[in-house]
Amino acid sequence: MKILYFSKDYTTHDHRFLTALAGRGGDEIFYLRLNNGGRQFEDRALPGNVTVLHWESDKRTPRALKRILKAVQPDVVHAGPLQEVAWLVAKAGFAPLVSMSWGSDLLVTAEESTEMRRKTQFVFEHSAGFVGDCEAVRQKALNFGFDADKMVIFPWGIDLQRFAPKRDDALKSRWGWGEDEFVIYHSRSWEPIYGVEAMAKGFVLAARQRPELRLMMLGGGSMVQRLRGILQQGGVMDKVHFTGQVSQTALPDYYHQADLYVSASLSDGSSVSLMEAMASGLPVLVSDIPGNREWVTEENGWLFAVNDVTAIAEGMLQAVDARAELAAMGMASRKMAEAKANWEENFTLLWEAFERIVKA
């Protein structure tokens, strides 16, 4: 089978899909990236047997894509996000197209304007299959009239061997944090969609009451000055460690330093970072949105109302107070990850869908 995988950037998710596709052997896998000069979100190289395609010019138009498709002649194109990437394939008139939602493109962007809704509808009308990662995405696709029998819904999943429970205070010690400190782990991008401002304000309130609280913030984003201002004015900068960008190779070590995972995202499908935290044996404190409700119960964590600063602080304090129970909660997280987030098992559903679509 000849598969063209078309995505916006090169992220951890793209690496995971391309590695799985290329790992089957006997198939030709091509990769086209919408933003050739965009940000690099993944430090690992592509598999050697993936053929990287390039645009002939800076124009990303259906006509330019048609020339690429004519040269490659794939059996199927896998494309997403919907309104930027899959729309180009649909507009170019290629079939069969398997469109894939990246979560917010369908849960948020599709309703931002009449144009975005029309683009989303157009993609669905020209898709032979649709890939989503959670029930909330499935329901939204149904609302657009897409056939449920043509959907493949599965959590993108993670490598359960790489992300596993382990206690390791090496990094904490390097940062000057002792065993008694309670470390909260945050790895979402510093962008409005991830509710980072509310999270920072919640931490300020909680840390004022419990001096042992610490916050580990990975990555970065456009809100860096705003976040630093909140933490500085709150008097808690000495309780926060900014790691910067962390490589995928080193990432599991950071989960091992933490006592609690937190995410205040306004929109999510099945969050990969949430699955990584659960697989690493962490209890979780996350926003009460449909995608998170599929993963969080009273056995493994807490939910709080979106953008509710007070509720975020109360959740952090509740976690500290429940410190003796966190090990059991972490094991409950791990069991759920083992049951639902096994990437190797989940990916077979997508491959089976490719075979059905191409055969049809």
Side-chain angles (χ1 to χ4, degrees):
M1 192 185 307
K2 189 183 292 187
I3 300 171
L4 171 55
Y5 179 94
F6 183 18
S7 187
K8 182 177 179 180
D9 282 299
Y10 180 44
T11 69
T12 299
H13 309 309
D14 297 309
H15 177 84
R16 180 184 294 112
F17 274 93
L18 287 164
T19 300
L21 289 169
R24 294 182 59 88
D27 300 288
E28 293 182 76
I29 310 301
F30 297 83
Y31 172 41
L32 179 63
R33 180 178 174 185
L34 183 65
N35 296 334
N36 281 340
R39 292 172 60 192
Q40 190 84 356
F41 296 89
E42 170 59 52
D43 59 306
R44 291 171 293 181
L46 283 167
N49 52 344
V50 172
T51 302
V52 179
L53 304 175
H54 300 282
W55 297 89
E56 296 177 359
S57 69
D58 292 336
K59 294 182 179 180
R60 308 291 191 261
T61 64
R63 179 176 295 182
L65 180 59
K66 278 185 178 181
R67 290 194 290 269
I68 294 174
L69 293 168
K70 184 178 180 179
V72 175
Q73 296 187 353
D75 295 307
V76 62
V77 172
H78 175 285
L82 301 179
Q83 300 86 5
E84 296 174 277
V85 178
W87 179 83
L88 277 174
V89 182
K91 200 68 176 175
F94 178 86
L97 163 64
V98 175
S99 56
M100 183 170 81
S101 169
W102 284 64
S104 294
D105 57 346
L106 188 53
L107 298 176
V108 178
T109 306
E111 302 295 349
E112 285 182 343
S113 67
T114 300
E115 180 187 5
M116 289 298 102
R117 186 168 183 85
R118 286 174 178 169
K119 281 191 169 184
T120 306
Q121 189 70 58
F122 185 80
V123 168
F124 280 133
E125 290 171 356
H126 292 79
S127 295
F130 170 72
V131 179
D133 68 343
C134 69
E135 179 62 22
V137 165
R138 188 182 82 88
Q139 288 296 330
K140 198 61 178 287
L142 288 172
N143 292 344
F144 272 91
F146 197 79
D147 187 347
D149 292 337
K150 296 180 180 180
M151 296 186 197
V152 182
I153 307 297
F154 64 94
W156 290 356
I158 56 169
D159 185 335
L160 292 172
Q161 294 184 346
R162 286 190 67 230
F163 295 95
K166 180 182 177 182
R167 192 65 198 181
D168 181 3
D169 295 331
L171 293 176
K172 286 175 59 178
S173 299
R174 192 184 308 166
W175 303 334
W177 293 353
E179 295 182 1
D180 294 334
E181 273 78 18
F182 187 92
V183 180
I184 298 171
Y185 177 102
H186 182 277
S187 60
R188 310 312 299 271
S189 295
W190 303 359
E191 304 295 343
I193 189 65
Y194 295 113
V196 288
E197 183 172 339
M199 186 283 301
K201 291 179 178 178
F203 178 75
V204 169
L205 293 180
R208 286 174 177 172
Q209 297 184 53
R210 298 298 292 266
E212 69 268 35
L213 280 179
R214 298 292 183 271
L215 177 62
M216 178 187 1
M217 293 193 69
L218 278 67
S222 65
M223 298 184 68
V224 56
Q225 296 302 324
R226 176 62 180 157
L227 291 177
R228 285 184 175 273
I230 291 170
L231 297 168
Q232 185 72 50
Q233 293 172 16
V236 298
M237 280 291 282
D238 61 329
K239 301 178 185 296
V240 182
H241 182 77
F242 302 99
T243 70
Q245 295 294 338
V246 173
S247 71
Q248 285 297 313
T249 302
L251 186 59
D253 293 335
Y254 286 79
Y255 284 104
H256 299 156
Q257 315 302 310
D259 298 288
L260 177 72
Y261 168 87
V262 63
S263 171
S265 179
L266 311 186
S267 174
D268 258 326
S270 288
S271 165
V272 170
S273 63
L274 174 61
M275 288 185 272
E276 290 172 349
M278 292 173 59
S280 300
L282 292 181
V284 299
L285 173 65
V286 296
S287 50
D288 189 1
I289 55 177
N292 288 341
R293 290 184 211 127
E294 297 182 31
W295 294 92
V296 181
T297 70
E298 60 182 13
E299 293 183 352
N300 72 322
W302 300 268
L303 296 166
F304 56 82
V306 172
N307 271 333
D308 189 331
V309 173
T310 301
I312 294 172
E314 290 175 349
M316 292 176 178
L317 294 172
Q318 190 172 358
V320 177
D321 291 337
R323 202 163 188 170
E325 305 166 20
L326 296 188
M329 296 178 72
M331 290 311 298
S333 282
R334 174 68 187 183
K335 288 180 180 179
M336 184 175 291
E338 290 174 344
K340 297 174 58 177
N342 188 324
W343 167 247
E344 291 185 2
E345 292 181 0
N346 294 352
F347 178 76
T348 59
L349 298 174
L350 178 61
W351 189 263
E352 291 168 1
F354 283 162
E355 291 180 328
R356 288 196 306 269
I357 289 167
V358 171
K359 184 178 180 179

